[in-house]
Amino acid sequence: VDITHEIPPQDIETAAFTLLAACSAFPAGTIHVGVVDPGVGSERRPILMKLGEQFFVGPDNGIFSHLLEKYERAGETAQLFHLTNEKYFRDPVSATFHGRDVFAPIAAALSLGVKPAVLGTKTTDCIRLAPLKLTSEADGADGKLTARVIHIDRFGNCVTNLTPNELNDETIAAGVTLRVNGKSVKSFRKYFAEETGSKHKLFTIWGSAGFLEIAATNDSAAKLLRARRGDVVIVEL
Amino acid sequence: VDITHEIPPQDIETAAFTLLAACSAFPAGTIHVGVVDPGVGSERRPILMKLGEQFFVGPDNGIFSHLLEKYERAGETAQLFHLTNEKYFRDPVSATFHGRDVFAPIAAALSLGVKPAVLGTKTTDCIRLAPLKLTSEADGADGKLTARVIHIDRFGNCVTNLTPNELNDETIAAGVTLRVNGKSVKSFRKYFAEETGSKHKLFTIWGSAGFLEIAATNDSAAKLLRARRGDVVIVEL
Amino acid sequence: VDITHEIPPQDIETAAFTLLAACSAFPAGTIHVGVVDPGVGSERRPILMKLGEQFFVGPDNGIFSHLLEKYERAGETAQLFHLTNEKYFRDPVSATFHGRDVFAPIAAALSLGVKPAVLGTKTTDCIRLAPLKLTSEADGADGKLTARVIHIDRFGNCVTNLTPNELNDETIAAGVTLRVNGKSVKSFRKYFAEETGSKHKLFTIWGSAGFLEIAATNDSAAKLLRARRGDVVIVEL
């Protein structure tokens, strides 16, 4: 299964979000190979993660970081292995294409029943991207949350790191304003084509990956907001 | 088999043409999932069509409309089902991604032998796009046909809704002129690289989906004609 | 396995390079279908090549030319067949889509055990692109090699036709300058993220297909060099 070959060059964050969004639809035992790898050939480690019952093979650069965070917060087991057993690599290994020379052969070995502990040595640390979880969750005190844009999809929808943990149905029904780059988004829709009576083009909606997204009627919210990944999203409750 | 993931956002017409062009190459029993779904989460129905011996699962928004027209005109059986049996959906169903939550699980159930009548209730109506068949087929009277551009492919070829039913080999050999946006196309080629002696860049050719196309030598016919889908094509016999 | 559907229209050279780069990762017995086919429907022949233990089916327009050159130079067997047995084609055969009507059905027949000699007649000649091998390999006399850019990838890396046969590690360590479009590239890196102390953005690196590439730190070398495929690369030893 080819999830995508359209991650922009070097864009580890987009790869990490895409893996996070896609993996829950795969069954136990799935072996994922994820390769966005600007550090290929350097000292960056090749790693294998066993998260719950799924396997993830790729460079240790944060590409599996959002998934690891999700499994850890859910209290599920996470095992990390530094892939060191060159016997399972292609021979020779190039300095520019470990997808072909390291990660795919390791995934093939896994699929044939070779144990992770044979493919490498256990490790506990790995490179992590900035966590998705909101760092400061202000509450009634000043009635504000500080979130951020974590992904922009090909429709221009801006995915935030707000989840139902921060914003429940009641809060949203009571009225919430999001501020991004000086613009406000006040409408909320249950689905894209919902008629809300609002004249405003921009609205928020729960996206399929479980995060609140900012979208626009027949338009790109990212363009209207001049939003880029990482932009701050202030939530006024 | 992934036919394509490159349908432009919300472009139901392109999806409908792509399915029409591709499906005849698949065997009996094939289950197609087609999802271009701007109405996801609204009241638009999830449907299943059995056309001849193939199955089509997706939103009721016209995406299978060209196929339905084709099977109906060929006198083949067409059965429609409104997918209502939520037992076969993912749980929970999101309001923004029924490809994952409704259509793929239904296709999986079909592939395991669950009968259409178990997955939903029979229905007779569905949303239809404008028919491909020429609405007014003028003949000798004024010697003109009114057709239209139904698809523009990635090479810039403009696919019309003219078929050998409207234009047989004899008619074409006698000379036919197509007028689009004030420009005329008079050359006809049997294949793209044919040398016709004509200096004109634009020519017509029978495309692989069975429709007459307007193409250009090493160029985009759509660009040369400033053509867009839906543009009128006047045929002078 | 879908290697790619993203070859630019009519771009036989890019297809030929892509096949060359990909095929060594496939096992004996693999049947490849390669279709970039501007001459479809004309007198250009449909061909089958057996190169080593792999099969290649497609138009005789040079698309398998680089592969053939590689196998011939390695002294491996190469058998060519002109596909003439229409019994194995789709019926009817369109004049515009032989990928569907000729090449895929032939590949299917091959996969079912039909022998190449049944599918067509043996032939010895075929259309060839300009060879990848350097035509004049100047040596110590004037200390220059004349190479060229044979491919530009989606990162903007410029792949040359220089291989370790022309440039060994010692030569590179001693210092080599590449001149392209009036600009010089003097740095060499073992891997993309290597810190060389050089302030220059452009550098050379051994690419994963076995050729020397010109790349740029966080940039497109093709853009910086205004390079296009076919551009001359002068190597000063």
Side-chain angles (χ1 to χ4, degrees):
Chain A
V1 177
D2 176 12
I3 294 181
T4 179
H5 264 80
E6 294 174 23
I7 304 294
Q10 284 103 45
D11 189 345
I12 295 164
E13 292 259 2
T14 292
F17 179 83
T18 302
L19 284 161
L20 177 69
C23 289
S24 68
F26 287 81
T30 301
I31 300 164
H32 299 271
V33 177
V35 188
V36 172
D37 193 10
V40 61
S42 71
E43 291 298 307
R44 76 95 189 86
R45 303 180 305 174
I47 55 166
L48 162 64
M49 290 195 193
K50 187 177 180 200
L51 303 179
E53 295 303 317
Q54 296 194 32
F55 299 88
F56 298 86
V57 182
D60 179 21
N61 62 15
I63 194 171
F64 306 129
S65 171
H66 293 339
L67 276 163
L68 180 59
E69 180 186 346
K70 176 186 166 184
Y71 277 83
E72 285 177 340
R73 284 170 57 190
E76 294 198 56
T77 60
Q79 293 183 301
L80 278 62
F81 298 87
H82 175 195
L83 295 165
T84 49
N85 192 342
E86 297 180 11
K87 183 182 138 191
Y88 292 95
F89 299 174
R90 199 187 203 219
D91 182 21
V93 171
S94 75
T96 49
F97 193 5
H98 286 191
R100 178 190 67 188
D101 301 340
V102 175
F103 304 126
I106 287 286
L110 267 176
S111 76
L112 294 170
V114 180
K115 298 290 172 211
V118 173
L119 298 169
T121 56
K122 252 192 155 167
T123 183
T124 50
D125 63 315
C126 67
I127 303 291
R128 289 169 186 256
L129 305 177
L132 293 183
K133 194 168 165 50
L134 267 59
T135 44
S136 71
E137 287 179 54
D139 52 16
D142 71 345
K144 283 187 187 171
L145 299 175
T146 301
R148 70 181 199 274
V149 175
I150 58 171
H151 181 68
I152 294 173
D153 71 18
R154 73 169 190 134
F155 303 93
N157 299 325
C158 300
V159 183
T160 75
N161 58 336
L162 293 158
T163 73
N165 288 334
E166 287 87 41
L167 289 175
N168 59 31
D169 288 353
E170 234 170 85
T171 316
I172 287 175
V176 167
T177 300
L178 269 63
R179 293 200 193 281
V180 185
N181 294 335
K183 294 208 171 141
S184 298
V185 186
K186 291 168 188 281
S187 302
F188 173 79
R189 289 196 191 168
K190 286 190 181 147
Y191 51 91
F192 285 106
E194 187 184 20
E195 280 301 325
T196 57
S198 163
K199 287 178 197 162
H200 300 292
K201 229 176 175 177
L202 289 161
F203 57 91
T204 56
I205 188 167
W206 286 112
S208 59
F211 298 103
L212 196 71
E213 302 185 3
I214 306 173
T217 310
N218 296 324
D219 211 333
S220 159
K223 218 178 68 186
L224 295 175
L225 292 170
R226 298 181 185 203
R228 306 179 69 159
R229 186 176 58 214
D231 280 357
V232 168
V233 179
I234 300 291
V235 185
E236 299 177 355
L237 303 172
Chain B
V1 177
D2 176 12
I3 294 179
T4 179
H5 264 79
E6 293 175 22
I7 305 294
Q10 284 105 43
D11 190 344
I12 296 164
E13 292 260 1
T14 292
F17 179 83
T18 303
L19 283 161
L20 178 68
C23 289
S24 69
F26 287 81
T30 301
I31 301 164
H32 299 271
V33 177
V35 188
V36 172
D37 193 9
V40 61
S42 71
E43 291 300 306
R44 77 95 187 87
R45 303 180 305 174
I47 55 166
L48 162 64
M49 291 196 192
K50 188 177 180 201
L51 303 178
E53 296 301 318
Q54 295 194 34
F55 299 88
F56 298 86
V57 182
D60 179 21
N61 62 14
I63 194 170
F64 306 129
S65 172
H66 293 339
L67 276 162
L68 179 59
E69 180 186 347
K70 177 186 166 184
Y71 277 83
E72 285 178 339
R73 284 170 57 190
E76 295 198 58
T77 59
Q79 294 183 302
L80 278 63
F81 298 86
H82 175 193
L83 295 164
T84 50
N85 193 341
E86 297 181 12
K87 183 184 139 191
Y88 292 95
F89 299 174
R90 197 188 206 218
D91 182 21
V93 172
S94 74
T96 48
F97 192 5
H98 287 191
R100 177 191 66 188
D101 301 340
V102 175
F103 305 125
I106 288 285
L110 267 176
S111 76
L112 294 171
V114 180
K115 299 289 173 211
V118 173
L119 298 169
T121 56
K122 251 192 158 167
T123 183
T124 51
D125 64 314
C126 67
I127 303 291
R128 287 170 188 258
L129 306 177
L132 291 184
K133 194 168 164 52
L134 266 60
T135 44
S136 70
E137 287 181 51
D139 52 14
D142 72 342
K144 283 187 187 171
L145 299 175
T146 301
R148 70 179 199 275
V149 175
I150 58 171
H151 181 68
I152 294 173
D153 72 17
R154 74 169 190 134
F155 303 94
N157 300 324
C158 300
V159 183
T160 75
N161 58 335
L162 292 158
T163 73
N165 288 333
E166 288 86 40
L167 290 175
N168 59 32
D169 287 353
E170 236 171 81
T171 316
I172 287 174
V176 167
T177 300
L178 271 64
R179 293 200 194 282
V180 185
N181 294 336
K183 295 211 170 138
S184 299
V185 185
K186 290 167 189 281
S187 302
F188 173 79
R189 289 197 191 168
K190 288 191 181 143
Y191 51 90
F192 286 106
E194 187 185 19
E195 280 302 325
T196 58
S198 163
K199 285 178 200 165
H200 300 292
K201 229 176 175 175
L202 289 160
F203 57 91
T204 56
I205 187 166
W206 286 113
S208 59
F211 298 102
L212 197 71
E213 301 185 3
I214 306 173
T217 310
N218 297 323
D219 210 334
S220 159
K223 218 178 68 186
L224 295 176
L225 292 169
R226 296 179 188 207
R228 305 179 68 159
R229 187 176 58 213
D231 281 356
V232 168
V233 178
I234 301 290
V235 185
E236 299 176 355
L237 302 172
Chain C
V1 177
D2 176 12
I3 294 180
T4 180
H5 264 82
E6 293 174 23
I7 305 293
Q10 285 104 43
D11 190 345
I12 296 164
E13 293 259 3
T14 292
F17 179 82
T18 303
L19 283 161
L20 177 69
C23 290
S24 68
F26 287 81
T30 301
I31 301 164
H32 299 271
V33 178
V35 188
V36 172
D37 193 11
V40 60
S42 71
E43 292 299 307
R44 76 98 188 84
R45 304 180 306 175
I47 55 166
L48 162 63
M49 291 195 193
K50 187 176 181 202
L51 303 178
E53 295 303 318
Q54 296 193 34
F55 300 89
F56 298 87
V57 182
D60 179 21
N61 63 14
I63 195 172
F64 306 129
S65 171
H66 293 339
L67 276 162
L68 180 59
E69 180 186 346
K70 177 186 166 183
Y71 277 83
E72 286 178 340
R73 285 170 56 191
E76 295 199 56
T77 60
Q79 293 183 302
L80 278 62
F81 299 86
H82 175 193
L83 295 164
T84 50
N85 193 341
E86 297 181 11
K87 184 182 138 189
Y88 292 96
F89 298 174
R90 200 187 204 218
D91 181 23
V93 171
S94 74
T96 49
F97 193 4
H98 286 191
R100 177 190 67 187
D101 301 340
V102 174
F103 305 125
I106 288 285
L110 266 176
S111 76
L112 295 170
V114 180
K115 297 289 173 211
V118 173
L119 298 169
T121 57
K122 250 192 157 166
T123 182
T124 50
D125 64 314
C126 67
I127 303 290
R128 287 169 187 259
L129 305 177
L132 292 183
K133 193 166 164 52
L134 266 59
T135 44
S136 71
E137 288 180 54
D139 52 16
D142 72 344
K144 282 186 186 172
L145 299 175
T146 302
R148 68 180 200 275
V149 175
I150 58 171
H151 182 69
I152 294 173
D153 72 18
R154 74 169 190 134
F155 302 94
N157 300 325
C158 300
V159 183
T160 75
N161 58 336
L162 293 157
T163 73
N165 288 333
E166 287 87 39
L167 289 175
N168 58 33
D169 287 354
E170 235 171 81
T171 316
I172 286 174
V176 167
T177 300
L178 270 64
R179 293 202 193 279
V180 185
N181 295 335
K183 293 209 172 141
S184 298
V185 186
K186 292 167 188 278
S187 301
F188 173 79
R189 288 195 192 170
K190 288 191 181 146
Y191 52 90
F192 285 107
E194 187 184 19
E195 281 301 326
T196 58
S198 163
K199 285 178 199 165
H200 300 290
K201 229 177 173 174
L202 290 160
F203 57 91
T204 57
I205 187 167
W206 286 113
S208 59
F211 299 102
L212 196 70
E213 302 184 3
I214 307 173
T217 310
N218 296 324
D219 210 332
S220 159
K223 217 177 68 186
L224 295 176
L225 292 170
R226 297 182 187 204
R228 305 179 67 159
R229 186 177 58 214
D231 281 356
V232 168
V233 178
I234 300 290
V235 185
E236 299 177 356
L237 302 172

